[in-house]
Amino acid sequence: MTVLTQHAAGTFSWPELHTTDPIAAKKFYGDLFGWSAVDNPMPAGVYTIFQKDGRDSAAVCPMMPEQAKAGVPPHFNAYITVANVDDAATRAKQLGGTVLMEPFDIMDKGRSAVIQDPTGATFSLWEPRTHIGVAVLDEPGAMCWTELTTGDTAKAAAFYTALLGWKTQEMPGPNGPYTLFQRLNGTNAGGMMKATGKLQGVPPNWLTYFQVKDIKATAARVPQLGGKVFVEPTPIPGTGTFAVLSDPQGGMFGVLQGPN
């Protein structure tokens, strides 16, 4: 059993669900992915770490009251590992991004900042100390992909490549060109597609995907658990099959089954 001990800079390393009902979310994701839950009492509420076979795989926490008042829906916050959060936050401002939360320490776990890119998508930076983020990736029940949907892919590509040192590679997609973000060593970091068709009008966002063994069974299980299927299992030539789902509170996520 693989247990990760570090993440290279430029890696999506922590999916964190902000929701209106953490207790219900624990049951939903536990049933769907086989996750166990470890509760950590905090001043602002309980911070729960999900685990897959004892390895940290994601987290859930209550939405902040100001988020709910502003109409922010439940969502997975995507964290990207960086070498220095303060430097990266400063650079994000210079590149046209907005620092929604200035760099701050999370006890001895690490240092973080919340950034909005120039197109409006929000993500977090993570400088690890005693907590690297997930201890498992790219296997059933674990995060396997993170994907940006935005109305201005050119502006987003310029921002992320300059901020994180990513390179881009375009490939054909079912709804137009699909951009792969890659770290300098050529490893895929994430993806990006333009908001077209049914996605027009959807606010720019990063969507977290989790790997599954049987995507049809997973998609069928979601409504039984109170969630919804927004995109039915859809083949991607050479990649596998994906679906887009939501939990009962409206938190969106994707699932991916690799090619057989």
Side-chain angles (χ1 to χ4, degrees), residues 10 30 39 134 155 162 177:
D39 290 337
V134 296
K155 182 181 287 186

Side-chain angles (χ1 to χ4, degrees), residues 85-185:
V85 160
D86 295 78
D87 290 348
T90 297
R91 181 68 173 147
K93 293 179 187 177
Q94 296 169 347
L95 294 169
T98 302
V99 178
L100 300 179
M101 292 185 68
E102 293 286 347
F104 61 98
D105 291 328
I106 301 179
M107 299 178 292
D108 64 340
K109 306 300 183 185
R111 190 163 173 81
S112 185
V114 182
I115 309 295
Q116 186 178 64
D117 74 26
T119 76
T122 300
F123 62 99
S124 289
L125 301 170
W126 183 247
E127 179 186 335
R129 290 175 183 163
T130 62
H131 194 265
I132 66 161
V134 296
V136 56
L137 283 171
D138 303 328
E139 63 179 66
M143 181 172 65
C144 62
W145 195 243
T146 313
E147 180 179 82
L148 174 64
T149 300
T150 179
D152 193 334
T153 53
K155 182 181 287 186
F159 174 79
Y160 288 103
T161 54
L163 178 66
L164 300 167
W166 286 345
K167 301 181 294 182
T168 60
Q169 178 182 337
E170 284 202 354
M171 58 184 291
N175 299 308
Y178 189 89
T179 300
L180 291 175
F181 288 119
Q182 298 175 323
R183 300 200 301 273
L184 290 179
N185 65 0

Side-chain angles (χ1 to χ4, degrees), residues 1-4 50-58 135-136 139-140:
M1 183 174 67
T2 301
V3 180
L4 301 175
F50 289 121
Q51 293 187 331
K52 177 65 175 176
D53 299 327
R55 298 165 294 172
D56 293 356
S57 56
V136 56
E139 63 179 66

Side-chain angles (χ1 to χ4, degrees), residues 14-26:
W14 192 240
E16 180 183 76
L17 176 64
H18 294 236
T19 184
T20 53
D21 193 339
I23 294 176
K26 285 194 293 184

Side-chain angles (χ1 to χ4, degrees), residues 69 139 199 216 260:
K69 289 180 182 178
E139 63 179 66
L199 293 176
K216 290 184 178 180
N260 294 326

Side-chain angles (χ1 to χ4, degrees), residues 158-234:
F159 174 79
Y160 288 103
T161 54
L163 178 66
L164 300 167
W166 286 345
K167 301 181 294 182
T168 60
Q169 178 182 337
E170 284 202 354
M171 58 184 291
N175 299 308
Y178 189 89
T179 300
L180 291 175
F181 288 119
Q182 298 175 323
R183 300 200 301 273
L184 290 179
N185 65 0
T187 303
N188 288 335
M192 176 175 65
M193 63 181 181
K194 188 175 180 64
T196 59
K198 294 181 179 179
L199 293 176
Q200 284 185 324
V202 174
N205 68 94
W206 282 100
L207 183 68
T208 298
Y209 283 78
F210 300 97
Q211 187 172 318
V212 294
K213 288 183 179 180
D214 186 334
I215 196 166
K216 290 184 178 180
T218 300
R221 181 77 173 131
V222 165
Q224 297 170 1
L225 296 172
K228 295 180 180 179
V229 177
F230 282 85
V231 178
E232 294 284 349
T234 303

